[in-house]
Amino acid sequence: MAGSDQDRFRPGFGDGWDDDGDTQLLTERRQKTKKPSMYRVVMLNDDYTPMDFVVWVLQKIFHKGMEDATRIMLEVHHKGKSIVGVFTHDVARTKVQQVHSLAEQNEHPLQCVMEVEEGDDE
Ligand code: TYC
């Protein structure tokens, strides 16, 4: 399948396909070994959740230290949202559920969402 010098001048050379189809086999194998997607967990701002509750949630669910948790909370407060971490699908979903259940138990409207990381399919 490796091209000789003469191959370069054949019609269709370099278009990603060759006569015996082995380029296609390589493509299929790449798809089967694709890495699982990763998901960002993004914390969203609202006008009612107390700042210290958000800091506590970031420490409890995302294992942030006080300084990091405070920095993330303030970024959400000022910019509307902030990425808290990037996780596999199941871990991200569990963390989103844990945040929502703590928020609900404490009657705060705190929301966070998960978003797929783009450009991570190599
Ligand atoms: N904006 C909230 C307030 O002024 C604080 C807050 C920060 C709420 C981060 C949600 O994800 C959040 N009390």
Side-chain angles (χ1 to χ4, degrees):
M1 84 167 257
S4 69
D5 273 357
Q6 278 171 342
D7 282 332
R8 211 174 301 138
F9 304 107
R10 277 178 25 221
F13 183 81
D15 61 2
W17 297 90
D18 58 5
D19 295 341
D20 55 8
D22 55 3
T23 304
Q24 186 175 17
L25 275 178
L26 276 178
T27 304
E28 283 167 5
R29 189 189 306 211
R30 268 169 52 99
Q31 284 171 349
K32 278 186 196 138
T33 57
K34 217 170 104 172
K35 274 203 298 183
S37 295
M38 298 294 281
Y39 292 78
R40 299 185 286 271
V41 172
V42 179
M43 192 69 79
L44 304 178
N45 191 32
D46 65 73
D47 292 337
Y48 305 104
T49 304
M51 291 183 175
D52 60 353
F53 181 80
V54 180
V55 171
W56 177 71
V57 164
L58 290 168
Q59 291 180 294
K60 188 171 171 67
I61 307 298
F62 297 95
H63 310 292
K64 303 291 182 187
M66 175 59 95
E67 207 176 307
D68 212 16
T70 304
R71 180 188 57 74
I72 294 168
M73 181 280 293
L74 286 174
E75 182 165 289
V76 179
H77 178 69
H78 291 299
K79 297 188 181 167
K81 60 183 179 177
S82 178
I83 297 170
V84 182
V86 179
F87 309 97
T88 59
H89 185 274
D90 282 6
V91 173
R93 192 186 52 186
T94 300
K95 289 189 185 295
V96 168
Q97 285 171 348
Q98 288 172 328
V99 170
H100 290 161
S101 108
L102 284 178
E104 200 176 340
Q105 281 166 36
N106 291 276
E107 301 184 345
H108 299 311
L110 182 63
Q111 293 287 312
C112 67
V113 294
M114 55 194 276
E115 299 175 349
V116 67
E117 278 275 286
E118 302 293 348
D120 196 29
D121 54 3
E122 279 306 313

